[in-house]
Amino acid sequence: MSDPIKRVPMPICGVMVGAAGLGNLLQSYSEVLRGICGVFSLFLLTLIIMKLCKYPQDVKKDFQNPITAGVSGTCTMGLMLLATYIKPSMMPVAFGVWCAAVILHFILIVYFTAKFVCHFELKNVFTVWYIVYVGIATAAVSAPAFGQEVFGTFCFWFGFVSLIVLLILVTVRYVKIPVPDPAKPLICIYAAPTSLCVAGYVGSVAPKSVEFLLGMCLVANLIYVFALIQSFHYITKRFYPSWAAFTFPFVITAIATKQTVACAAKLGIALPWLQPIALVETIIAVIFEIIVYARYMQFIFGNPKQQV
């Protein structure tokens, strides 16, 4: 049997950040559940590190592909979130991990820009571009844990401006050029960037505009419905590593909706009708994370013929 580590695909980083985000989403229900999600996320991070150490040439090759290079941004996003898990017991280490993750993500932005933007081809544009440029807003989500709200605010606005530009560019690409079957599930990443900006705005930006917040939340949930419909179509078909797109985008939307309710309440506006929506989104996020995590384990440790 071939080495399972060699079969670890770069998109598994998306499942990793999904598990870490899910832990934060479930924290208000149970610290134990958060811890379990953290362990599952850490396990995937371990697999990624082992792949990097044992097969560096494979990883290097991945960075020549616009999809896998873009997806790698979920690894640094996951590190930012995991850093908040270890903060209570190892603050200096946690802050170091967070800083390293932020720096690595900015390095990815520079590399991706030089490699794929400066040599622009519309066919190379996929929803993973959101991960590269809007993904830095994860720093805005996690910055308050380390008292870095000012830097987090910068990351939010960087991500938000990138979101506006990419919504146009990515949509034009998907309308004009057909997407190959293995990459089709990536359409669900559409649900992530606006929701990530909502969570980053709530986390780091002050003072806050309730109108701006509610506007972003509305857009995020409309796009979420579109992505959810798409997910029902693709999750019934053949497994591809791009199934990772069914995890974090749905997790972060549930987080964004939940945080909007809490933030609006602090600003003097009650939104009780949003609470059941947040609950439904949470349940969907849990189901998707479990399904995709299980399929990934089957893909890596099961029959090698399952590899695509």
Side-chain angles (χ1 to χ4, degrees):
M1 181 180 292
S2 62
D3 184 2
I5 300 303
K6 188 173 179 61
R7 298 201 299 274
V8 174
M10 185 62 73
I12 202 173
C13 298
V15 188
M16 179 195 76
V17 70
L22 185 62
N24 289 335
L25 174 62
L26 299 177
Q27 186 175 17
S28 61
Y29 300 101
S30 169
E31 285 289 347
V32 173
L33 287 177
R34 181 176 188 256
I36 292 172
C37 290
V39 170
F40 277 105
S41 180
L42 184 60
F43 174 69
L44 297 186
L45 176 61
T46 302
L47 293 180
I48 295 163
I49 294 173
M50 291 175 69
K51 173 72 176 283
L52 178 61
C53 293
K54 294 187 69 174
Y55 303 100
Q57 291 305 313
D58 288 1
V59 177
K60 182 179 179 181
K61 184 179 178 180
D62 284 340
F63 276 84
Q64 303 304 309
N65 182 296
I67 293 179
T68 49
V71 166
S72 68
T74 53
C75 184
T76 53
M77 292 165 61
L79 283 172
M80 292 179 213
L81 296 182
L82 284 175
T84 65
Y85 279 72
I86 61 175
K87 175 200 167 187
S89 56
M90 295 182 288
M91 175 59 177
V93 174
F95 185 58
V97 169
W98 185 80
C99 289
V102 171
I103 292 170
L104 286 172
H105 199 98
F106 274 112
I107 291 174
L108 174 64
I109 290 174
V110 173
Y111 168 80
F112 197 90
T113 302
K115 179 74 175 177
F116 300 110
V117 177
C118 292
H119 301 87
F120 182 80
E121 292 184 74
L122 188 60
K123 68 179 183 179
N124 287 334
V125 176
F126 291 91
T127 51
V128 298
W129 285 43
Y130 290 127
I131 296 171
V132 177
Y133 296 100
V134 186
I136 193 60
T138 308
V141 176
S142 52
F146 303 102
Q148 300 297 318
E149 288 88 347
V150 174
F151 178 72
T153 298
F154 165 77
C155 290
F156 162 76
W157 286 113
F158 183 98
F160 183 76
V161 172
S162 299
L163 167 64
I164 301 301
V165 174
L166 289 176
L167 272 176
I168 299 171
L169 178 61
V170 174
T171 302
V172 168
R173 183 262 188 262
Y174 274 76
V175 169
K176 286 191 172 184
I177 304 176
V179 176
D181 286 347
K184 284 182 177 178
L186 295 175
I187 191 74
C188 294
I189 294 177
Y190 257 104
T194 309
S195 296
L196 184 58
C197 284
V198 171
Y201 183 77
V202 172
S204 290
V205 180
K208 294 177 177 61
S209 164
V210 69
E211 293 82 9
F212 184 58
L213 173 63
L214 293 179
M216 282 197 297
C217 185
L218 175 61
V219 172
N221 276 275
L222 289 175
I223 298 176
Y224 171 89
V225 172
F226 164 76
L228 186 61
I229 293 171
Q230 297 299 314
S231 70
F232 290 154
H233 176 68
Y234 294 117
I235 205 167
T236 59
K237 298 184 181 297
R238 180 184 179 185
F239 171 82
Y240 291 107
S242 55
W243 273 32
F246 302 146
T247 58
F248 182 70
F250 296 101
V251 170
I252 193 61
T253 301
I255 290 174
T257 304
K258 188 175 180 180
Q259 289 186 342
T260 296
V261 174
C263 184
K266 290 181 180 179
L267 296 174
I269 297 180
L271 301 171
W273 54 272
L274 257 186
Q275 292 177 341
I277 294 177
L279 178 60
V280 171
E281 290 176 348
T282 298
I283 294 171
I284 291 173
V286 171
I287 293 172
F288 274 159
E289 183 69 32
I290 292 173
I291 291 173
V292 176
Y293 201 108
R295 290 302 301 271
Y296 257 89
M297 292 301 97
Q298 182 183 22
F299 174 76
I300 295 169
F301 298 105
N303 191 334
K305 292 183 180 180
Q306 292 172 309
Q307 188 172 3
V308 294

